[in-house]
Amino acid sequence: MDGFTAGQILRTLWPGLARLLVNPLLYAGAALVIWDVWRNARHERAFFGVRVTRRRAHLLLLAGLSLAAGCLMSVWNAVIGAGAAPGEVGVVTAAVLLLGLVRVRWLSPLYGAAVCAAASQVASAFGAGTARTFAAGTSGWHPGAGAPWAEALGTVWAAIAGFDAASWAGLLAGVMLCEALLLALFRTRWLRPVYVLSRRGRAIGAFAIQLAFVAPVWIPMAGGVTGIASLPYVAGQGFTALPVLIGFGGVFAGLSTRRVLTVVCLRDLAVAVVLAAGAFAAMQAGPVWANAALWVGALGAEAVRLWVDRAEGASDPQYAPALDGVRVLATLPGSLARAMGLVPGEVITHVNQVPVHTGYDLHFAFEQNPAYAKLRVVDRRGEARLVGKPVYDGERVKLGLLLVPEDPNQPCYRPIPSGLLQTVGLRLAAGDRGAQVPMDEASGSLTS
């Protein structure tokens, strides 16, 4: 931005920072993200006896990526000229928080903006003078001129009536693109092995997708920015800011997490295209197109989420116990199991030609020959292979092999719907100790 000093740019950004720091959504979102990571990491010892997630490193990486995502979305807003008034940011924040009290996954700004777009249409139907009537205290209730609550109501009403759906559609197109990019780049970084309760009441293996960001997004003040040609003048008109929650979470025992995240990425890209098209059409033919795009985007995102949950419920579990050995759920980084190339879902049937059927058998077989480990492994296609590695002093304690639960009453999570921050609602449960586990479940044919 030639012609602007660092002091001028800082003074331009400061109002946005001030508004960001007083926005309750920033603190609510950050608290939920921290609680989600910290609390669920504590449960790993109940599952595996070891801690898989390094909580501090995990949270620091989340913080860094949140800032990077906020910068990307802020640049997007400046480039396309997606401006917003502070009042609009306030009503979107209020809508997001109210929706979040109903469903945590609705903390996404996509849903809040869709509600504000609908409210704007209702407010417009009452006429532009209604807000001024409330503010002046001359409404039917006649609270008296200058009444604080009347002025506040008038301010909110004016913000709703003046809601610029086209700008918010363009802004949220950038949000959805950024979410798709983060999910695509880090789709394996945020996977956690867990135990989950099947529909027949026993513990089975699963993977949790636990990815949520609170990104601070700077938005140019509404009034004059029209796109790339006006980018140098953004610093001259000031910014407001909004904390944006993006990400995806859920627990999957049947569907491949790679497939789930691919579907979610494609959904985000499709929603971004719809929002961008609605914003462009609104500039040509009126705001009704942007309002429609916001609602189509929100309903489409919810429909895809529902489809993912139904597909998960109809899928056979990938990590149920095996009758002919022990099934691998995951391997820890830097461990002996990882060095051997063991893959989740494979079944270990022999260690040094000794048959194994339980985790105790596995460790006992390792102890019998401390110098070398030769494993017979059956992959998901039923093909057998041999893997081996010299075992030096101390390496046996670094086996790093996480197995599918053998005890049907092992502590585990109850199934949950998928969506933004859904893993914050995970609850520990124990299997039904009075139920008999069917043989088809033990063989891996049970649907979770």
Side-chain angles (χ1 to χ4, degrees):
M1 296 183 181
D2 296 336
F4 290 97
T5 66
Q8 289 175 315
I9 295 175
L10 182 61
R11 285 193 297 272
T12 303
L13 294 176
W14 170 251
L17 178 61
R19 294 185 181 98
L20 180 71
L21 293 178
V22 298
N23 193 312
L25 184 58
L26 174 67
Y27 302 100
L32 286 172
V33 170
I34 294 172
W35 176 249
D36 188 29
V37 173
W38 203 267
R39 173 178 170 275
N40 291 332
R42 293 177 57 191
H43 297 155
E44 292 171 350
R45 288 195 181 276
F47 295 155
F48 314 114
V50 297
R51 183 168 292 166
V52 179
T53 303
R54 300 174 63 183
R55 295 178 291 191
R56 290 182 179 85
H58 189 104
L59 289 172
L60 286 174
L61 182 57
L62 277 178
L65 290 175
S66 296
L67 292 175
C71 290
L72 286 175
M73 287 184 278
S74 300
V75 171
W76 167 272
N77 295 335
V79 168
I80 69 170
E88 293 177 352
V89 173
V91 295
V92 170
T93 297
V96 169
L97 289 172
L98 290 174
L99 290 172
L101 294 176
V102 181
R103 293 285 188 273
V104 175
R105 66 175 181 269
W106 289 345
L107 283 169
S108 168
L110 176 63
Y111 300 102
V115 170
C116 288
S120 176
Q121 294 297 301
V122 174
S124 298
F126 286 91
T130 307
R132 293 191 295 271
T133 300
F134 276 119
T138 57
S139 65
W141 294 294
H142 196 67
W149 71 268
E151 293 180 2
L153 183 59
T155 301
V156 172
W157 187 279
I160 293 174
F163 185 78
D164 188 351
S167 286
W168 280 91
L171 184 154
L172 290 172
V175 171
M176 302 309 293
L177 288 174
C178 188
E179 181 176 277
L181 177 64
L182 290 174
L183 291 175
L185 291 178
F186 300 97
R187 58 184 177 182
T188 59
R189 179 64 179 81
W190 312 108
L191 300 182
R192 294 176 49 243
V194 297
Y195 295 158
V196 67
L197 191 68
S198 74
R199 281 190 280 182
R200 296 196 184 183
R202 71 151 297 147
I204 58 174
F207 277 91
I209 301 173
Q210 190 175 355
L211 176 62
F213 297 90
V214 186
V217 180
W218 264 251
I219 308 171
M221 289 283 197
V225 178
T226 58
I228 295 177
S230 303
L231 184 58
Y233 300 99
V234 170
Q237 65 174 19
F239 289 84
T240 185
L242 174 69
V244 172
L245 282 104
I246 57 176
F248 185 77
V251 176
F252 300 94
L255 292 179
S256 163
T257 53
R258 181 179 294 272
R259 179 188 177 191
V260 170
L261 289 175
T262 298
V263 170
V264 174
C265 286
L266 292 176
R267 177 204 70 178
D268 289 349
L269 292 175
V271 171
V273 170
V274 169
L275 293 174
F280 179 79
M283 292 187 294
Q284 308 298 322
V288 63
W289 292 99
N291 290 328
L294 288 170
W295 272 100
V296 170
L299 293 175
E302 194 69 6
V304 172
R305 185 206 61 80
L306 181 61
W307 178 86
V308 168
D309 289 346
R310 288 184 179 275
E312 165 65 15
S315 301
D316 290 336
Q318 300 185 64
Y319 307 105
L323 291 177
D324 55 345
V326 293
R327 192 181 300 277
V328 177
L329 178 58
T331 58
L332 299 181
S335 64
L336 178 62
R338 180 70 62 89
M340 288 182 174
L342 296 175
V343 178
E346 292 183 327
V347 177
I348 302 172
T349 60
H350 294 78
V351 175
N352 295 329
Q353 299 182 348
V354 177
V356 295
H357 299 283
T358 65
Y360 176 81
D361 293 342
L362 182 72
H363 288 277
F364 180 79
F366 268 101
E367 291 295 331
Q368 297 307 300
N369 188 351
Y372 193 81
K374 186 177 182 180
L375 280 62
R376 185 178 185 273
V377 180
V378 178
D379 63 21
R380 293 182 181 180
R381 296 173 296 181
E383 299 178 359
R385 64 188 179 95
L386 296 175
V387 297
K389 189 180 185 300
V391 181
Y392 302 102
D393 290 340
E395 277 197 335
R396 293 189 307 281
V397 300
K398 299 180 180 178
L399 182 58
L401 186 61
L402 306 181
L403 302 175
V404 167
E406 301 159 6
D407 181 2
N409 302 295
Q410 163 76 32
C412 56
Y413 286 134
R414 296 186 182 277
I416 59 169
S418 61
L420 173 65
L421 276 171
Q422 284 297 103
T423 50
V424 79
L426 286 171
R427 296 290 183 270
L428 282 177
D432 184 2
R433 296 186 182 276
Q436 297 295 322
V437 180
M439 289 301 294
D440 62 341
E441 180 170 349
S443 66
S445 60
L446 172 70
T447 58
S448 60

